[in-house]
Amino acid sequence: MDLRPDSIRKYKSYNNMKKLFVALVIFLAVSVNAQWVQMNVPTTANICCFTKIGTNLFAGTRRYSYNQIGGVYLSTNNGYNWSSLGFANKDIYSIAASDSNLFISFESTVCLSTNNGTNWNYVGFNAMVSELAVLGSKLFAGCFSLNSGIYSSTNNGTNWNLSGLNDSPITKLEVSGTNIYAGTQSGIYISTDNGSNWSFLGLTTHNVSSIAVSGQNLFVGSGNGVYLSTNNGTTWSSIGLSIHTYSSLVVSDINLISASYNGIYLTTNNGINWLAFNQGFNYIPNAGPLFIKDEYLFVGDGQSVWRRPLSEITGIQNISTEIPSSYSLSQNYPNPFNPNTVIGFQLSVVSDVSIKIYDVQGREVQTLVNERMNAGTYEVSVDGMGLNSGVYFYQMRVSDFKETRRMLLIK
């Protein structure tokens, strides 16, 4: 069995079994990374929130049942391994960080750790704090039930003052630049003066579950889809995923990523098209919070923490939704390149697409695309930083279509 593309076979003999074995090992190793990978979290509770301090990643959990172990967890190696920081019998509602301060909320309490969760101090509260956020020197707490509204503290939770939206159950707090946004069960609000005043931005009939900001674009996830405003809330438009409830949203450059009860999706054109990115799960994930740290995208669900290289998701751009007449794979440009280049391809129908890069030995060195995608014209970026100078081949496989092209990396 020869796994190498047809055009590469000209360069090597069929009977070189040693090289074929090496190629197969590398193929398997790289293919495993081209998908979501489950991390070693010692809990089956629902992962509900993430934050980070330096190189440390923290996760908070809620229990589906009382025989589960909840609490707060720490990873010092980007999610590979986790250790418990306590509160195993608690449902953590929110987690936030400011400098070396780590805050969590559960029941009617806020706790603070100044040493990465080794020790904790109770710093309030007397209401169910559903959301925590930090803006400048202020810690904000959004309360959902008793004493609902937004409260703020300038001394790390020792004292609290009502900041606004009293009697409004707070479902989400999001900081972007010098602004803080508040989601409620009946719309979204903004404060541009550090929480002193709040202005209503619309979506009156929507229960806001997530907020993301990218330049002039304000995205909101709700119980009936994702919405976009390009004029600070004056007008809103639905941009899809209407059957996907309780979406979590994150932005990376021009990419908007959504996680919901129906899986994980990406749009590069503000919702005109959405691509599913659920490879690696053996089920449709009940995806919860999304979080970006270093070069990885993390997602929590009802079973564990999952991780995937961010470059695998954000490297694909949908440049046209016009339906091509056939499948095609374009020559990369620039070519030769150093260290980045772009590959274009077209799909005439909804397809399971694979685009991979091989060296002249027939060894797979990168998986660029391994997804089910809508018809259209796409570009995928290639990062050759970790590759040596030389000739490489990239191959596209779709159904019974297969095409291979040659490219040259010169450093």
Side-chain angles (χ1 to χ4, degrees), residues 103-281:
F103 301 94
I104 63 169
S105 68
F106 61 90
E107 297 173 350
S108 298
T109 303
V110 175
C111 286
L112 163 66
S113 175
T114 58
N115 54 10
N116 289 318
T118 301
N119 304 104
W120 295 92
N121 296 311
Y122 291 86
V123 294
F125 209 81
N126 191 27
M128 192 190 90
V129 178
S130 55
E131 286 287 312
L132 293 169
V134 176
L135 176 58
S137 60
K138 270 189 178 181
L139 172 65
F140 290 87
C143 297
F144 186 80
S145 56
L146 179 67
N147 299 322
S148 60
I150 298 177
Y151 296 78
S152 64
S153 173
T154 57
N155 52 13
N156 291 329
T158 301
N159 302 104
W160 294 89
N161 296 301
L162 180 65
S163 182
L165 304 186
N166 50 307
D167 298 325
S168 294
I170 305 301
T171 56
K172 184 63 179 177
L173 291 177
E174 185 73 24
V175 172
S176 177
T178 58
N179 298 331
I180 183 168
Y181 297 85
T184 72
Q185 290 183 311
S186 54
I188 181 173
Y189 295 78
I190 184 175
S191 175
T192 60
D193 56 6
N194 214 19
S196 297
N197 297 282
W198 295 85
S199 301
F200 184 59
L201 297 182
L203 298 180
T204 304
T205 62
H206 297 272
N207 184 352
V208 175
S209 56
S210 56
I211 302 167
V213 183
S214 177
Q216 297 300 311
N217 294 331
L218 175 59
F219 301 96
V220 167
S222 70
N224 55 352
V226 181
Y227 291 80
L228 166 64
S229 176
T230 59
N231 50 20
N232 208 30
T234 301
T235 57
W236 292 88
S237 57
S238 173
I239 60 171
L241 303 186
S242 59
I243 63 172
H244 298 237
T245 58
Y246 301 104
S247 295
S248 171
L249 301 172
V250 294
V251 170
S252 176
D253 297 325
I254 65 169
N255 306 282
L256 175 67
I257 305 165
S258 170
S260 72
Y261 287 176
N262 298 90
I264 300 163
Y265 291 80
L266 163 76
T267 178
T268 62
N269 51 19
N270 292 338
I272 296 175
N273 301 99
W274 291 89
L275 303 175
F277 282 89
N278 297 314
Q279 283 69 24
F281 295 98

Side-chain angles (χ1 to χ4, degrees), residues 41-47 62 64 67-69 73 301-304:
V41 183
T43 180
T44 57
N46 182 32
I47 308 297
R62 297 181 199 172
Y64 280 140
N67 62 351
Q68 289 184 323
I69 300 174
Y73 293 84
D301 71 348
Q303 299 185 25
S304 187

